[in-house]
Amino acid sequence: MGKAGSKVLRQTSVDGVPAQPTPAVAAPTATVKFEGLTKTTRMKVKWTQLGLVFFLILSLVMTGCFFWQYQLPKVLPDEGTGRNAKSEMMCPRFPEPVQLEHPIPSLKEALEKVDVLLRQSINPISLPALSAIVILNDTVLWTGNFGKRNASDPLSGPPNEYTIYRIASLSKIFPTLMLYRLWEDGKIGSLDDPLEKYVDNFTIKNPLGKTGEVQIRSSSVTLRRMASQLSGLPRRLRATNLLWKGKTQSAINLLQDDVLVADPGTKCHYSNLAFSLLAHVMAERVAGIDYQRWITDNILDRLGMEDTGFDITPGLQTQMAVGVYSNGKPAPLYDLGWYRPSGQMFSTAADLAKLSMMLLGAYHRKLLEPDSLKIMLTPLFRCDKDYFANRTGTPWEVNELMGYEMVRKDGDLDGYSATFSLVPRLKLGLVVLMAGSRLQNQDVVSKAYTSIIPAIEKAFREAKRVLFPPPNPEPYVGFFTYSNITFYEIKVGADGVLIMQQFGPQIEELIPEKYRTIKLNYLVDRVFRVVFEKEYPCVLRVGSASVSLEAQDGQLFNFYTFDKRGLSPGFDAPGLNTYNVVRIAHRPSFSS
Ligand SMILES: *[C@@H]1O[C@H](CO)[C@@H](O)[C@H](O)[C@H]1NC(C)=O
Ligand SMILES: *[C@@H]1O[C@H](CO)[C@@H](O)[C@H](O)[C@H]1NC(C)=O
Ligand SMILES: *[C@@H]1O[C@H](CO)[C@@H](O)[C@H](O)[C@H]1NC(C)=O
Ligand SMILES: *[C@@H]1O[C@H](CO)[C@@H](O)[C@H](O)[C@H]1NC(C)=O
Ligand SMILES: *[C@@H]1O[C@H](CO)[C@@H](O)[C@H](O)[C@H]1NC(C)=O
């Protein structure tokens, strides 16, 4: 068992997972371009309706102004009959992460569910030990350790956060971090450089690259694609298994008569070869130092990942959870040789928590610039239905969960399984390390998130928001209008924070006051951010018009420089393509 090389890295995350039915992915919602819309709006909307315009006219949901290329039969799910049946969608849909004051009862409850879930996934034969850790921004929310560290020892205790597990394909995170670091350091010119820029004689056949003409040279196996399962490189070097102990030059020689399985950049195809080749080439040809040495010096030491590495020494084994096959037999600790960058590493829950915090941009020790982190956490490509993830990133697999992007890396190697996952938008992370084989019939990581995410959202929604008043409110206080169509009053609230209220004919009867009143959070000189303090309907329907409140939440107001009297003469809301909201001397009176 596990002797044949092909068995060694049985990433379930790879070909093992049955093809999942992929529902048609939401087409990018027709984001309406508002260029020049104002005019049309004013022409088409009856004057009587203008009073309904909440805030900024541009957020009126307009359909009449566009010529659609195709006339499709309209599906009207909630017109008429279903109107009341459908509960109104409340916003903000994605609450912003804020500092939380723990303990939070609903969060505790959710974590108790996760505890039960993971405890129940322990199986004394096939999955004797499991350690998990939940990270929120710069803190560890919870850690759970279940089962026994050594199933064949009756006296063995449970694992803990410092118990060592093999992390298998989670190792692929590290060549990617190296790529970004070398790029930040200028040693790699571009993430999109072709591999052959750094290796003499790298060629591989790319018959799918150009129809009709067989290209011998490949020019589009780029570094980024190699780290994103998009290079088209085969899974492994031909005639090798994952225990192959060759040299990088031999690998390059073997590739000269090999063939890309897909034209680079066109198809998700899982490749251990791509990550190993990338790692060795960067180390030997760019950094000029052994790959493991580089990772140890530049990442592990820097982040204080003390119990993470490549070489499993006898001393280390006493700290390890004993990995087993599904029949309970201890699995040998295979050494992956040239493929080490793709799957050799071991780590602990505590160490991977540090890595999570770093990737969430919240760890006190820095590794990558914030901008590189943004690039790293952005998905790159939508995969075919038969791939095991919806999208691929660098180096992640990306799926959608409760409306959030979840980036993850799974690893499955003889005796061990592991998942490293992040929900960047919520600053949330979950790491699960297992000695044994993961449950086949359910994904405990996604399941755990379905408890944690709603609890975190609720906590963020209910957290007291800290809003800042301007140093001096006077320049901003007063009455404003947008083209004599909409009118606003800005006042100072009890806490010094500015309040803005819309007024005018009809609006006062039609729109509840709480949705006509917003707070302005002072950010920097003359710039404020719109804040809806409480939950609000994403779309406010008034008669036949609808107004997107969601589009207004979080917008920036940029006030003009102060005049001789020390007053700001007006402001812009560039995010709504709205300019020249100007000050008026006093409250206008409306006739009729
Ligand atoms: C996240 O952690 C960083 C670093 O400690 C901190 O500056 C930031 O305010 C935190 N953000 C939230 C939303 O808690
Ligand atoms: C696990 O326990 C068995 C039985 O006591 C023992 O033979 C083995 O060496 C232990 N393994 C480790 C890694 O501690
Ligand atoms: C590259 O290929 C050429 C011609 O096949 C050969 O002479 C040369 O030694 C190769 N270079 C390396 C570094 O292998
Ligand atoms: C792919 O995305 C769809 C819709 O977002 C989701 O229902 C499905 O479960 C996803 N596939 C996987 C493998 O997560
Ligand atoms: C608004 O109406 C007033 C009074 O009718 C007029 O003087 C002013 O020029 C108008 N402003 C705009 C921006 O249309």
mmCIF file of all heavy atoms in Angstrom, residues 74-111:
data_model
loop_
_atom_site.group_PDB
_atom_site.id
_atom_site.type_symbol
_atom_site.label_atom_id
_atom_site.label_comp_id
_atom_site.label_asym_id
_atom_site.label_seq_id
_atom_site.Cartn_x
_atom_site.Cartn_y
_atom_site.Cartn_z
ATOM 1 N N LYS A 74 -39.128 37.775 -19.994
ATOM 2 C CA LYS A 74 -38.876 38.244 -18.636
ATOM 3 C C LYS A 74 -39.374 37.233 -17.616
ATOM 4 O O LYS A 74 -40.489 36.757 -17.700
ATOM 5 C CB LYS A 74 -39.591 39.570 -18.406
ATOM 6 C CG LYS A 74 -38.773 40.748 -18.849
ATOM 7 C CD LYS A 74 -39.063 41.948 -17.974
ATOM 8 C CE LYS A 74 -38.158 43.115 -18.321
ATOM 9 N NZ LYS A 74 -38.870 44.208 -18.917
ATOM 10 N N VAL A 75 -38.539 36.934 -16.683
ATOM 11 C CA VAL A 75 -38.966 36.115 -15.567
ATOM 12 C C VAL A 75 -39.281 37.081 -14.434
ATOM 13 O O VAL A 75 -38.439 37.890 -14.051
ATOM 14 C CB VAL A 75 -37.841 35.156 -15.126
ATOM 15 C CG1 VAL A 75 -38.374 34.174 -14.104
ATOM 16 C CG2 VAL A 75 -37.287 34.416 -16.334
ATOM 17 N N LEU A 76 -40.488 37.026 -13.978
ATOM 18 C CA LEU A 76 -40.879 37.971 -12.941
ATOM 19 C C LEU A 76 -41.265 37.213 -11.685
ATOM 20 O O LEU A 76 -42.433 36.924 -11.458
ATOM 21 C CB LEU A 76 -42.060 38.817 -13.420
ATOM 22 C CG LEU A 76 -41.795 39.656 -14.665
ATOM 23 C CD1 LEU A 76 -43.084 40.265 -15.181
ATOM 24 C CD2 LEU A 76 -40.768 40.737 -14.388
ATOM 25 N N PRO A 77 -40.291 36.858 -10.905
ATOM 26 C CA PRO A 77 -40.601 35.973 -9.790
ATOM 27 C C PRO A 77 -41.495 36.632 -8.736
ATOM 28 O O PRO A 77 -42.383 35.993 -8.216
ATOM 29 C CB PRO A 77 -39.232 35.637 -9.209
ATOM 30 C CG PRO A 77 -38.322 36.733 -9.683
ATOM 31 C CD PRO A 77 -38.907 37.262 -10.950
ATOM 32 N N ASP A 78 -41.260 37.896 -8.463
ATOM 33 C CA ASP A 78 -42.041 38.415 -7.339
ATOM 34 C C ASP A 78 -42.920 39.595 -7.727
ATOM 35 O O ASP A 78 -43.340 40.376 -6.909
ATOM 36 C CB ASP A 78 -41.142 38.771 -6.152
ATOM 37 C CG ASP A 78 -40.030 39.696 -6.548
ATOM 38 O OD1 ASP A 78 -39.990 40.118 -7.729
ATOM 39 O OD2 ASP A 78 -39.188 39.990 -5.711
ATOM 40 N N GLU A 79 -43.168 39.694 -9.009
ATOM 41 C CA GLU A 79 -44.096 40.720 -9.430
ATOM 42 C C GLU A 79 -45.506 40.258 -9.079
ATOM 43 O O GLU A 79 -45.884 39.135 -9.361
ATOM 44 C CB GLU A 79 -43.987 40.943 -10.942
ATOM 45 C CG GLU A 79 -44.668 42.179 -11.406
ATOM 46 C CD GLU A 79 -43.693 43.333 -11.600
ATOM 47 O OE1 GLU A 79 -42.597 43.297 -11.025
ATOM 48 O OE2 GLU A 79 -44.044 44.242 -12.321
ATOM 49 N N GLY A 80 -46.261 41.107 -8.487
ATOM 50 C CA GLY A 80 -47.646 40.754 -8.182
ATOM 51 C C GLY A 80 -47.768 39.751 -7.052
ATOM 52 O O GLY A 80 -47.648 40.097 -5.906
ATOM 53 N N THR A 81 -47.916 38.485 -7.433
ATOM 54 C CA THR A 81 -48.249 37.467 -6.446
ATOM 55 C C THR A 81 -47.236 37.341 -5.321
ATOM 56 O O THR A 81 -47.590 37.356 -4.154
ATOM 57 C CB THR A 81 -48.374 36.085 -7.116
ATOM 58 O OG1 THR A 81 -47.169 35.857 -7.833
ATOM 59 C CG2 THR A 81 -49.565 36.039 -8.031
ATOM 60 N N GLY A 82 -45.979 37.219 -5.704
ATOM 61 C CA GLY A 82 -44.998 36.890 -4.677
ATOM 62 C C GLY A 82 -44.496 38.086 -3.888
ATOM 63 O O GLY A 82 -43.592 37.950 -3.080
ATOM 64 N N ARG A 83 -45.034 39.218 -4.110
ATOM 65 C CA ARG A 83 -44.448 40.415 -3.545
ATOM 66 C C ARG A 83 -44.271 40.362 -2.032
ATOM 67 O O ARG A 83 -43.213 40.628 -1.508
ATOM 68 C CB ARG A 83 -45.288 41.625 -3.926
ATOM 69 C CG ARG A 83 -44.614 42.909 -3.493
ATOM 70 C CD ARG A 83 -45.401 44.102 -3.929
ATOM 71 N NE ARG A 83 -45.000 44.523 -5.257
ATOM 72 C CZ ARG A 83 -45.698 45.393 -5.968
ATOM 73 N NH1 ARG A 83 -46.818 45.870 -5.525
ATOM 74 N NH2 ARG A 83 -45.268 45.773 -7.145
ATOM 75 N N ASN A 84 -45.319 39.948 -1.380
ATOM 76 C CA ASN A 84 -45.195 39.907 0.065
ATOM 77 C C ASN A 84 -44.589 38.604 0.558
ATOM 78 O O ASN A 84 -44.056 38.532 1.646
ATOM 79 C CB ASN A 84 -46.563 40.110 0.719
ATOM 80 C CG ASN A 84 -47.099 41.493 0.393
ATOM 81 O OD1 ASN A 84 -46.305 42.421 0.210
ATOM 82 N ND2 ASN A 84 -48.402 41.616 0.298
ATOM 83 N N ALA A 85 -44.701 37.605 -0.307
ATOM 84 C CA ALA A 85 -44.204 36.305 0.109
ATOM 85 C C ALA A 85 -42.695 36.347 0.317
ATOM 86 O O ALA A 85 -42.167 35.779 1.255
ATOM 87 C CB ALA A 85 -44.555 35.267 -0.937
ATOM 88 N N LYS A 86 -42.025 37.040 -0.555
ATOM 89 C CA LYS A 86 -40.566 37.060 -0.465
ATOM 90 C C LYS A 86 -40.130 38.053 0.590
ATOM 91 O O LYS A 86 -40.508 39.217 0.558
ATOM 92 C CB LYS A 86 -39.973 37.447 -1.815
ATOM 93 C CG LYS A 86 -39.524 36.233 -2.572
ATOM 94 C CD LYS A 86 -38.457 36.598 -3.573
ATOM 95 C CE LYS A 86 -37.858 35.340 -4.178
ATOM 96 N NZ LYS A 86 -37.294 35.573 -5.471
ATOM 97 N N SER A 87 -39.329 37.583 1.508
ATOM 98 C CA SER A 87 -38.878 38.514 2.529
ATOM 99 C C SER A 87 -37.845 39.440 1.903
ATOM 100 O O SER A 87 -37.097 39.062 1.020
ATOM 101 C CB SER A 87 -38.286 37.760 3.706
ATOM 102 O OG SER A 87 -37.091 37.140 3.315
ATOM 103 N N GLU A 88 -37.831 40.632 2.380
ATOM 104 C CA GLU A 88 -36.981 41.646 1.807
ATOM 105 C C GLU A 88 -35.523 41.361 2.150
ATOM 106 O O GLU A 88 -35.214 40.960 3.256
ATOM 107 C CB GLU A 88 -37.381 42.973 2.431
ATOM 108 C CG GLU A 88 -36.999 44.145 1.627
ATOM 109 C CD GLU A 88 -37.899 45.316 2.018
ATOM 110 O OE1 GLU A 88 -38.480 45.282 3.114
ATOM 111 O OE2 GLU A 88 -38.002 46.228 1.225
ATOM 112 N N MET A 89 -34.649 41.547 1.191
ATOM 113 C CA MET A 89 -33.232 41.318 1.449
ATOM 114 C C MET A 89 -32.680 42.500 2.245
ATOM 115 O O MET A 89 -32.827 43.651 1.855
ATOM 116 C CB MET A 89 -32.503 41.182 0.126
ATOM 117 C CG MET A 89 -31.032 41.139 0.315
ATOM 118 S SD MET A 89 -30.295 39.584 -0.117
ATOM 119 C CE MET A 89 -29.854 39.898 -1.810
ATOM 120 N N MET A 90 -32.059 42.151 3.373
ATOM 121 C CA MET A 90 -31.542 43.210 4.220
ATOM 122 C C MET A 90 -30.041 43.384 3.996
ATOM 123 O O MET A 90 -29.320 42.439 3.704
ATOM 124 C CB MET A 90 -31.829 42.900 5.699
ATOM 125 C CG MET A 90 -33.312 42.900 6.049
ATOM 126 S SD MET A 90 -34.165 44.462 5.672
ATOM 127 C CE MET A 90 -33.638 45.470 7.065
ATOM 128 N N CYS A 91 -29.584 44.616 4.177
ATOM 129 C CA CYS A 91 -28.193 44.953 3.947
ATOM 130 C C CYS A 91 -27.623 45.574 5.225
ATOM 131 O O CYS A 91 -28.379 45.996 6.073
ATOM 132 C CB CYS A 91 -28.081 45.943 2.783
ATOM 133 S SG CYS A 91 -27.898 45.127 1.184
ATOM 134 N N PRO A 92 -26.343 45.704 5.395
ATOM 135 C CA PRO A 92 -25.308 45.330 4.434
ATOM 136 C C PRO A 92 -25.196 43.821 4.297
ATOM 137 O O PRO A 92 -25.197 43.105 5.283
ATOM 138 C CB PRO A 92 -24.031 45.909 5.041
ATOM 139 C CG PRO A 92 -24.303 46.004 6.501
ATOM 140 C CD PRO A 92 -25.765 46.270 6.625
ATOM 141 N N ARG A 93 -25.130 43.379 3.072
ATOM 142 C CA ARG A 93 -25.018 41.967 2.775
ATOM 143 C C ARG A 93 -23.708 41.425 3.374
ATOM 144 O O ARG A 93 -23.660 40.352 3.928
ATOM 145 C CB ARG A 93 -25.044 41.817 1.252
ATOM 146 C CG ARG A 93 -24.956 40.457 0.687
ATOM 147 C CD ARG A 93 -26.085 39.555 1.079
ATOM 148 N NE ARG A 93 -25.677 38.165 0.940
ATOM 149 C CZ ARG A 93 -25.037 37.487 1.856
ATOM 150 N NH1 ARG A 93 -24.738 38.041 3.001
ATOM 151 N NH2 ARG A 93 -24.675 36.243 1.657
ATOM 152 N N PHE A 94 -22.649 42.179 3.234
ATOM 153 C CA PHE A 94 -21.346 41.759 3.750
ATOM 154 C C PHE A 94 -20.872 42.762 4.791
ATOM 155 O O PHE A 94 -20.286 43.778 4.441
ATOM 156 C CB PHE A 94 -20.320 41.682 2.617
ATOM 157 C CG PHE A 94 -20.716 40.727 1.535
ATOM 158 C CD1 PHE A 94 -21.159 41.195 0.317
ATOM 159 C CD2 PHE A 94 -20.653 39.362 1.741
ATOM 160 C CE1 PHE A 94 -21.531 40.318 -0.693
ATOM 161 C CE2 PHE A 94 -21.028 38.476 0.741
ATOM 162 C CZ PHE A 94 -21.466 38.956 -0.475
ATOM 163 N N PRO A 95 -21.157 42.498 6.063
ATOM 164 C CA PRO A 95 -20.743 43.476 7.073
ATOM 165 C C PRO A 95 -19.219 43.585 7.122
ATOM 166 O O PRO A 95 -18.511 42.609 6.909
ATOM 167 C CB PRO A 95 -21.290 42.884 8.371
ATOM 168 C CG PRO A 95 -21.454 41.434 8.102
ATOM 169 C CD PRO A 95 -21.766 41.305 6.642
ATOM 170 N N GLU A 96 -18.753 44.777 7.374
ATOM 171 C CA GLU A 96 -17.302 44.969 7.414
ATOM 172 C C GLU A 96 -16.726 44.459 8.726
ATOM 173 O O GLU A 96 -17.316 44.656 9.777
ATOM 174 C CB GLU A 96 -16.990 46.465 7.297
ATOM 175 C CG GLU A 96 -16.783 46.894 5.877
ATOM 176 C CD GLU A 96 -16.537 48.386 5.768
ATOM 177 O OE1 GLU A 96 -15.736 48.901 6.562
ATOM 178 O OE2 GLU A 96 -17.176 49.007 4.913
ATOM 179 N N PRO A 97 -15.556 43.817 8.642
ATOM 180 C CA PRO A 97 -14.919 43.372 9.880
ATOM 181 C C PRO A 97 -14.609 44.566 10.784
ATOM 182 O O PRO A 97 -14.115 45.589 10.316
ATOM 183 C CB PRO A 97 -13.617 42.719 9.411
ATOM 184 C CG PRO A 97 -13.860 42.346 7.997
ATOM 185 C CD PRO A 97 -14.802 43.391 7.459
ATOM 186 N N VAL A 98 -14.977 44.429 12.038
ATOM 187 C CA VAL A 98 -14.653 45.462 13.029
ATOM 188 C C VAL A 98 -14.098 44.748 14.253
ATOM 189 O O VAL A 98 -14.229 43.535 14.394
ATOM 190 C CB VAL A 98 -15.907 46.274 13.438
ATOM 191 C CG1 VAL A 98 -16.330 47.219 12.334
ATOM 192 C CG2 VAL A 98 -17.062 45.356 13.795
ATOM 193 N N GLN A 99 -13.474 45.501 15.112
ATOM 194 C CA GLN A 99 -12.968 44.918 16.357
ATOM 195 C C GLN A 99 -14.150 44.394 17.164
ATOM 196 O O GLN A 99 -15.147 45.086 17.312
ATOM 197 C CB GLN A 99 -12.255 45.999 17.186
ATOM 198 C CG GLN A 99 -10.953 46.485 16.585
ATOM 199 C CD GLN A 99 -9.787 45.562 16.889
ATOM 200 O OE1 GLN A 99 -9.937 44.531 17.540
ATOM 201 N NE2 GLN A 99 -8.605 45.941 16.403
ATOM 202 N N LEU A 100 -14.018 43.199 17.676
ATOM 203 C CA LEU A 100 -15.106 42.621 18.462
ATOM 204 C C LEU A 100 -14.699 42.557 19.929
ATOM 205 O O LEU A 100 -13.526 42.423 20.248
ATOM 206 C CB LEU A 100 -15.423 41.203 17.975
ATOM 207 C CG LEU A 100 -15.949 41.073 16.545
ATOM 208 C CD1 LEU A 100 -16.166 39.611 16.204
ATOM 209 C CD2 LEU A 100 -17.235 41.864 16.369
ATOM 210 N N GLU A 101 -15.716 42.664 20.778
ATOM 211 C CA GLU A 101 -15.448 42.477 22.196
ATOM 212 C C GLU A 101 -15.933 41.096 22.598
ATOM 213 O O GLU A 101 -17.118 40.823 22.630
ATOM 214 C CB GLU A 101 -16.181 43.551 23.009
ATOM 215 C CG GLU A 101 -15.354 44.800 23.187
ATOM 216 C CD GLU A 101 -16.120 45.879 23.920
ATOM 217 O OE1 GLU A 101 -16.745 45.576 24.945
ATOM 218 O OE2 GLU A 101 -16.113 47.025 23.428
ATOM 219 N N HIS A 102 -14.981 40.235 22.891
ATOM 220 C CA HIS A 102 -15.343 38.862 23.263
ATOM 221 C C HIS A 102 -15.603 38.816 24.770
ATOM 222 O O HIS A 102 -15.126 39.659 25.500
ATOM 223 C CB HIS A 102 -14.203 37.929 22.867
ATOM 224 C CG HIS A 102 -13.915 37.961 21.392
ATOM 225 N ND1 HIS A 102 -14.727 37.364 20.455
ATOM 226 C CD2 HIS A 102 -12.923 38.571 20.682
ATOM 227 C CE1 HIS A 102 -14.231 37.572 19.251
ATOM 228 N NE2 HIS A 102 -13.146 38.314 19.350
ATOM 229 N N PRO A 103 -16.347 37.860 25.274
ATOM 230 C CA PRO A 103 -16.998 36.778 24.541
ATOM 231 C C PRO A 103 -18.313 37.212 23.916
ATOM 232 O O PRO A 103 -18.985 38.091 24.436
ATOM 233 C CB PRO A 103 -17.252 35.742 25.639
ATOM 234 C CG PRO A 103 -17.405 36.540 26.887
ATOM 235 C CD PRO A 103 -16.556 37.763 26.720
ATOM 236 N N ILE A 104 -18.645 36.552 22.798
ATOM 237 C CA ILE A 104 -19.901 36.817 22.102
ATOM 238 C C ILE A 104 -20.696 35.508 22.122
ATOM 239 O O ILE A 104 -20.261 34.510 21.533
ATOM 240 C CB ILE A 104 -19.620 37.276 20.659
ATOM 241 C CG1 ILE A 104 -18.835 38.580 20.698
ATOM 242 C CG2 ILE A 104 -20.905 37.416 19.864
ATOM 243 C CD1 ILE A 104 -18.197 38.948 19.395
ATOM 244 N N PRO A 105 -21.833 35.484 22.824
ATOM 245 C CA PRO A 105 -22.547 34.220 23.023
ATOM 246 C C PRO A 105 -22.851 33.465 21.727
ATOM 247 O O PRO A 105 -22.648 32.250 21.660
ATOM 248 C CB PRO A 105 -23.839 34.648 23.723
ATOM 249 C CG PRO A 105 -23.492 35.941 24.382
ATOM 250 C CD PRO A 105 -22.480 36.610 23.516
ATOM 251 N N SER A 106 -23.283 34.188 20.669
ATOM 252 C CA SER A 106 -23.667 33.455 19.458
ATOM 253 C C SER A 106 -22.438 32.852 18.772
ATOM 254 O O SER A 106 -22.506 31.810 18.122
ATOM 255 C CB SER A 106 -24.412 34.370 18.494
ATOM 256 O OG SER A 106 -23.622 35.481 18.184
ATOM 257 N N LEU A 107 -21.307 33.494 18.945
ATOM 258 C CA LEU A 107 -20.075 32.971 18.373
ATOM 259 C C LEU A 107 -19.640 31.728 19.147
ATOM 260 O O LEU A 107 -19.196 30.727 18.568
ATOM 261 C CB LEU A 107 -19.000 34.064 18.449
ATOM 262 C CG LEU A 107 -17.752 33.888 17.609
ATOM 263 C CD1 LEU A 107 -18.086 33.539 16.179
ATOM 264 C CD2 LEU A 107 -16.920 35.171 17.656
ATOM 265 N N LYS A 108 -19.807 31.805 20.450
ATOM 266 C CA LYS A 108 -19.459 30.655 21.291
ATOM 267 C C LYS A 108 -20.313 29.447 20.903
ATOM 268 O O LYS A 108 -19.807 28.337 20.754
ATOM 269 C CB LYS A 108 -19.691 31.035 22.755
ATOM 270 C CG LYS A 108 -19.326 29.968 23.745
ATOM 271 C CD LYS A 108 -19.175 30.573 25.143
ATOM 272 C CE LYS A 108 -18.948 29.496 26.190
ATOM 273 N NZ LYS A 108 -20.185 28.799 26.565
ATOM 274 N N GLU A 109 -21.585 29.722 20.681
ATOM 275 C CA GLU A 109 -22.507 28.668 20.276
ATOM 276 C C GLU A 109 -22.077 28.029 18.951
ATOM 277 O O GLU A 109 -22.087 26.809 18.802
ATOM 278 C CB GLU A 109 -23.878 29.301 20.094
ATOM 279 C CG GLU A 109 -25.056 28.490 20.501
ATOM 280 C CD GLU A 109 -26.288 29.382 20.473
ATOM 281 O OE1 GLU A 109 -26.539 30.123 21.445
ATOM 282 O OE2 GLU A 109 -26.958 29.351 19.420
ATOM 283 N N ALA A 110 -21.678 28.873 17.999
ATOM 284 C CA ALA A 110 -21.259 28.365 16.695
ATOM 285 C C ALA A 110 -20.009 27.501 16.842
ATOM 286 O O ALA A 110 -19.890 26.447 16.209
ATOM 287 C CB ALA A 110 -20.990 29.529 15.749
ATOM 288 N N LEU A 111 -19.095 27.942 17.676
ATOM 289 C CA LEU A 111 -17.859 27.181 17.839
ATOM 290 C C LEU A 111 -18.121 25.859 18.570
ATOM 291 O O LEU A 111 -17.436 24.868 18.321
ATOM 292 C CB LEU A 111 -16.815 28.024 18.578
ATOM 293 C CG LEU A 111 -16.311 29.218 17.749
ATOM 294 C CD1 LEU A 111 -15.500 30.186 18.597
ATOM 295 C CD2 LEU A 111 -15.488 28.743 16.546
#
